Amino acid sequence: MKTRSLRLILGDQLNPQHSWFQEVSDEHVYVMLEMRQETDYVLHHAQKIIAIFAAMRAFARSLQQAGHRVHYQTIQDADPAISLPMLLDQLLLHYQCTELRYQEPDEYRLDQQLATYQPAAGIRKYCVSSEHFFTMRHEVAAQFKGKSRWLMEHFYRAMRVRHQILMEQDQPAGGQWNYDADNRAAWSGLPWEPADQRPVHDHSQLWQDIQAAGVASFGEAQAEQFRWPLDRTEALQQLQVFVSTALPHFGSYQDAMSHRAWRLFHSLLSFALNTKMLNPAEVVQAVEQEWRAARIPLHAAEGFIRQILGWREYVRGVYWARMPDYVEQNHFNHQQPLPAWFWTGQTRMHCVASAIGQSLEHAYAHHIQRLMVIGSFSLLAGLQPQAVHQWYLGIYIDAFEWVELPNTLGMSQYADGGFLATKPYVSTATYIDKMGDYCKGCYYDKKQKTGERACPFNALYWDFFARNAEQLSRNPRIGMVYPQWRKMSPEIQAAYQQQAQLIRDNLDSL
């Protein structure tokens, strides 16, 4: 039978509610491809590869069971030398198609690859919405058109009003827009993190197939005890478990860190969201309903909704407004390569070892671990931001470039010179000790500033601001950093800078 339409589904477009699937027709064939192009563009965590392929296979089965025609290529059948355009040429010819349809890719490289792809004469090409986000790609840029300064808070408030989220008529619920100040409690150990109720899957055969195909990876596969969701049903179950067990405490402890509890009260929904198993609107609605039913406090609802309705949509807008040049930004001209322990977690800095070790084990770390431990150290040590970006993009199961790149280069590494973040997010050991328990039992002393056992964050912090005074000293959000630096004696300043240089020269041995 002649197929009129070839419809491409990418690995992060696993949305069974898309309008494509409302009708079943033999005239459409849905194409899903496990490709070396996608496994190899950056070195990925083993769990990330397993999760995406397992979810893709589950999605393809569900489409077939619903009566749709599906062409699925597994990694065993993938030719490493064949690119996506070459495969599309073959498939369009094989199925005698007259048109190609694809949903908007969320990564610039794929968007450009498909936008510039020219099918054979007589075959039409159409790009359609993924029907996922609250905003279109360029809405954020349009909102701030003509303004020299973009602020997420302004965007977030406009989104709250537009979608009537946590609003009482025309005013924000509770009388204020943002409860960030109530989201910073340290966790003492109680209440304990809820039990992990995610289902367990055995993906050992899939993992063997991935390895047999020659796909390189890092991190722990945990293929026989795999906990990430496969489909929308499992993702919805995870959402329900989160709002009923963890969300009540999320607001207070969303910035807390502990080596005793890697999940704490975080949702672990980001993989399901970013592969589109879940829609952000239904997640926001579920959280708001919990607050309106008086089952969670307002600062918990607002703190979580701010991340989805505000930050997630905002960074996507920044991504599409600033690409392709954004990935090359390096405001401080940092060139230090990543230390070897980024791949092993074997460093004597307890906070960094815990955050990286957890990332290697689970392909996940929450936002404060990513920003204020791994990210802060990377910026203070002068690590090359593009190398940091590729590591973040590869290691985290929820990392797709549209959301990871602005968070890493902009928010974490300040490589865009302050376009996304209003200040560099760095700290001495004081902040890490305040928000977590990593300093207890660490080889390094949080109180020492210089010497062999001094916490590396301390000297690196002061040296970072000293080295970059020309770029940062006039930033109003820096606060008392430079007045404090100027009050130090030349001897103390020199000691900090010498200690920092010694650390940077010996990163692998920390």
Side-chain angles (χ1 to χ4, degrees):
M1 175 179 293
K2 185 175 181 181
T3 302
R4 182 175 63 86
S5 176
L6 192 76
R7 295 183 172 183
L8 176 65
I9 302 172
L10 300 176
D12 62 347
Q13 296 176 341
L14 310 181
N15 173 18
Q17 296 186 312
H18 194 278
S19 59
W20 269 359
F21 311 121
Q22 301 309 304
E23 64 165 345
V24 176
S25 171
D26 287 339
E27 291 189 347
H28 311 312
V29 61
Y30 294 97
V31 171
M32 302 183 70
L33 306 166
E34 296 175 9
M35 295 186 64
R36 290 293 296 273
Q37 169 187 299
E38 296 306 294
T39 61
D40 296 1
Y41 71 93
V42 69
L43 185 65
H44 292 287
H45 196 292
Q47 288 182 44
K48 186 177 182 182
I49 302 170
I50 293 171
I52 292 174
F53 283 1
M56 286 174 64
R57 294 181 181 192
F59 192 70
R61 288 193 298 270
S62 70
L63 291 180
Q64 290 171 325
Q65 291 167 2
H68 298 288
R69 298 178 66 191
V70 178
H71 177 101
Y72 195 96
Q73 174 183 277
T74 66
I75 195 64
Q76 304 102 294
D77 299 326
D79 185 338
I82 295 183
S83 66
L84 178 57
M86 295 167 64
L87 266 175
L88 291 175
D89 280 339
Q90 293 177 7
L91 292 167
L92 288 165
L93 178 63
H94 175 77
Y95 287 105
Q96 300 182 351
C97 295
T98 57
E99 69 174 34
L100 167 67
R101 292 183 181 267
Y102 65 94
Q103 298 174 31
E104 279 185 329
D106 289 319
E107 295 202 354
Y108 183 85
R109 62 183 178 85
L110 280 169
D111 184 69
Q112 290 299 295
Q113 189 177 44
L114 287 167
T116 58
Y117 168 63
Q118 294 296 327
I123 299 177
R124 298 180 299 274
K125 182 180 70 172
Y126 301 95
C127 178
V128 303
S129 171
S130 65
E131 303 174 6
H132 176 77
F133 295 96
F134 282 100
T135 55
M136 303 297 286
R137 280 182 180 176
H138 301 291
E139 279 189 45
V140 177
Q143 179 175 330
F144 292 102
K145 184 178 182 180
K147 297 181 180 179
S148 58
R149 186 74 189 153
W150 293 20
L151 287 174
M152 193 282 289
E153 183 68 19
H154 293 169
F155 167 78
Y156 169 56
R157 294 183 184 188
M159 291 291 285
R160 289 266 299 274
V161 173
R162 173 179 167 183
H163 295 281
Q164 286 297 292
I165 303 296
L166 295 181
M167 297 294 294
E168 303 292 351
Q169 297 181 345
D170 61 344
Q171 295 298 312
Q176 64 188 70
W177 292 99
N178 189 309
Y179 289 84
D180 184 55
D182 297 320
N183 300 146
R184 303 171 186 170
W187 182 66
S188 64
L190 292 174
W192 187 247
E193 68 176 1
D196 189 351
Q197 299 184 42
R198 294 175 298 165
V200 178
H201 299 283
D202 184 351
H203 293 316
S204 52
Q205 183 58 56
L206 173 57
W207 177 231
Q208 291 175 22
D209 294 341
I210 292 168
Q211 291 179 299
V215 176
S217 65
F218 70 112
E220 298 183 24
Q222 297 190 6
E224 296 180 1
Q225 297 287 319
F226 205 83
R227 305 302 298 267
W228 297 100
L230 288 186
D231 54 31
R232 176 170 169 79
T233 298
E234 291 184 357
L236 285 170
Q237 291 171 350
Q238 191 171 321
L239 172 61
Q240 182 55 48
V241 169
F242 166 65
V243 298
S244 62
T245 65
L247 182 58
H249 306 294
F250 172 81
S252 297
Y253 301 111
Q254 70 179 68
D255 286 1
M257 302 179 286
S258 176
H259 72 278
R260 295 173 291 164
W262 70 274
R263 292 175 291 110
L264 278 175
F265 306 102
H266 294 273
S267 71
L268 305 188
L269 292 171
S270 50
F271 172 71
L273 270 168
N274 292 351
T275 53
K276 303 180 181 59
M277 298 177 194
L278 292 178
N279 187 282
E282 69 186 329
V283 174
V284 167
Q285 182 181 35
V287 172
E288 183 175 24
Q289 285 177 347
E290 289 297 297
W291 170 70
R292 293 200 179 276
R295 287 190 287 265
I296 62 171
L298 179 56
H299 72 281
E302 191 280 321
F304 189 84
I305 287 172
R306 188 185 338 124
Q307 293 188 1
I308 307 299
L309 181 67
W311 190 251
R312 186 174 186 263
E313 297 286 325
Y314 181 71
V315 297
R316 176 173 177 261
V318 169
Y319 178 79
W320 286 109
R322 304 283 284 188
M323 286 297 281
D325 297 335
Y326 198 71
V327 73
E328 302 300 330
Q329 300 297 298
N330 191 348
H331 181 65
F332 298 118
N333 193 30
H334 284 169
Q335 300 297 338
Q336 191 86 26
L338 299 189
W341 39 259
F342 262 67
W343 310 100
T344 66
Q346 294 176 4
T347 169
R348 291 175 293 184
M349 294 180 288
H350 189 195
C351 60
V352 179
S354 183
I356 290 182
Q358 171 188 314
S359 302
L360 292 167
E361 181 179 0
H362 299 291
Y364 176 85
H366 69 70
H367 65 286
I368 294 298
Q369 293 172 310
R370 300 188 199 192
L371 178 66
M372 296 305 299
V373 178
I374 304 170
S376 177
F377 182 87
S378 300
L379 180 53
L380 293 175
L383 303 189
Q384 209 254 3
Q386 282 68 41
V388 178
H389 151 58
Q390 290 184 351
W391 184 84
Y392 273 75
L393 181 59
I395 197 168
Y396 292 119
I397 198 156
D398 54 15
F400 296 89
E401 193 180 71
W402 66 271
V403 66
E404 176 276 329
L405 178 61
N407 272 299
T408 302
L409 256 68
M411 186 70 173
S412 172
Q413 299 305 293
Y414 205 77
D416 62 5
F419 181 83
L420 188 67
T422 55
K423 66 175 182 178
Y425 281 85
V426 292
S427 76
T428 62
T430 302
Y431 174 86
I432 295 172
D433 186 47
K434 175 185 176 183
M435 297 307 302
D437 55 15
Y438 297 131
C439 294
K440 298 178 178 66
C442 182
Y443 172 84
Y444 296 103
D445 188 337
K446 65 186 179 183
K447 295 181 179 179
Q448 287 190 31
K449 308 299 190 293
T450 59
E452 179 184 347
R453 301 295 288 268
C455 175
F457 279 84
N458 293 332
L460 287 174
Y461 176 87
W462 289 109
D463 177 70
F464 168 78
F465 283 106
R467 286 187 291 110
N468 298 298
E470 183 176 346
Q471 296 103 313
L472 298 174
S473 59
R474 290 183 294 276
N475 186 320
R477 291 209 64 203
I478 298 300
M480 291 297 294
V481 171
Y482 285 103
Q484 288 181 42
W485 175 253
R486 288 190 290 268
K487 289 179 182 178
M488 297 179 191
S489 69
E491 292 77 14
I492 292 177
Q493 291 179 348
Y496 280 143
Q497 292 180 293
Q498 290 169 8
Q499 176 86 3
Q501 187 61 54
L502 183 65
I503 292 169
R504 290 197 302 274
D505 289 342
N506 297 277
L507 290 177
D508 282 335
S509 60
L510 289 177

